[in-house]
Amino acid sequence: MSIVQTAAPVAMFFTENAASKVHTLILEEGNDNLKLRVFVTGGGCSGFQYGFTFDEKVQDDDTVIENKGASLLVDPLSYQYLVGAKIDYKEGLEGSRFVVENPMASSTCGCGASFSI
């Protein structure tokens, strides 16, 4: 007899650290309508690259992930490359930035800004 296990798919993780940084940046801008958008484009040294921008508009087909009142937006094309990814904010010797830890990436470049599947 075999055992079948099922689990709900994990969309994405938007960490508390990233959400806190989004709050800080929104306060600095003075615009409560801003949301962080993460997207994937072609290019970079590994084939695809991550991008981040602030956006006031939520498109009808966007996925919205919230944490602590901060919103992360993902368009449908980018979503397919980010399923299961963790969006975080890190500060270190190399500087401070939003980062993507993507379990679907088969390889990444040294700086982590581009990846391949």
Side-chain angles (χ1 to χ4, degrees), residues 5-117:
Q5 294 181 345
T6 60
V10 176
M12 271 179 265
F13 298 100
F14 181 37
T15 69
E16 288 186 21
N17 200 33
S20 293
K21 186 60 178 181
V22 169
H23 276 298
T24 300
L25 294 170
I26 288 171
L27 284 173
E28 289 175 7
E29 282 296 315
N31 183 349
D32 292 338
N33 295 321
L34 292 175
K35 294 144 187 61
L36 181 65
R37 179 176 294 279
V38 59
F39 56 92
V40 173
T41 59
C45 52
S46 294
F48 295 101
Q49 58 189 2
Y50 303 112
F52 292 94
T53 188
F54 278 96
D55 202 337
E56 290 183 272
K57 296 184 181 185
V58 178
Q59 303 301 320
D60 291 338
D61 55 356
D62 280 342
T63 296
V64 181
I65 301 167
E66 295 188 352
N67 189 352
K68 303 276 185 186
S71 297
L72 177 71
L73 306 177
V74 187
D75 65 88
L77 181 64
S78 299
Y79 183 88
Q80 65 185 329
Y81 297 108
L82 293 168
V83 172
K86 179 168 81 171
I87 312 303
D88 199 4
Y89 183 79
K90 295 188 177 182
E91 295 180 1
L93 295 174
E94 298 173 359
S96 46
R97 60 192 168 115
F98 288 100
V99 295
V100 178
E101 294 177 22
N102 189 344
M104 292 180 35
S106 60
S107 65
T108 60
C109 67
C111 69
S114 69
F115 67 102
S116 63
I117 292 184

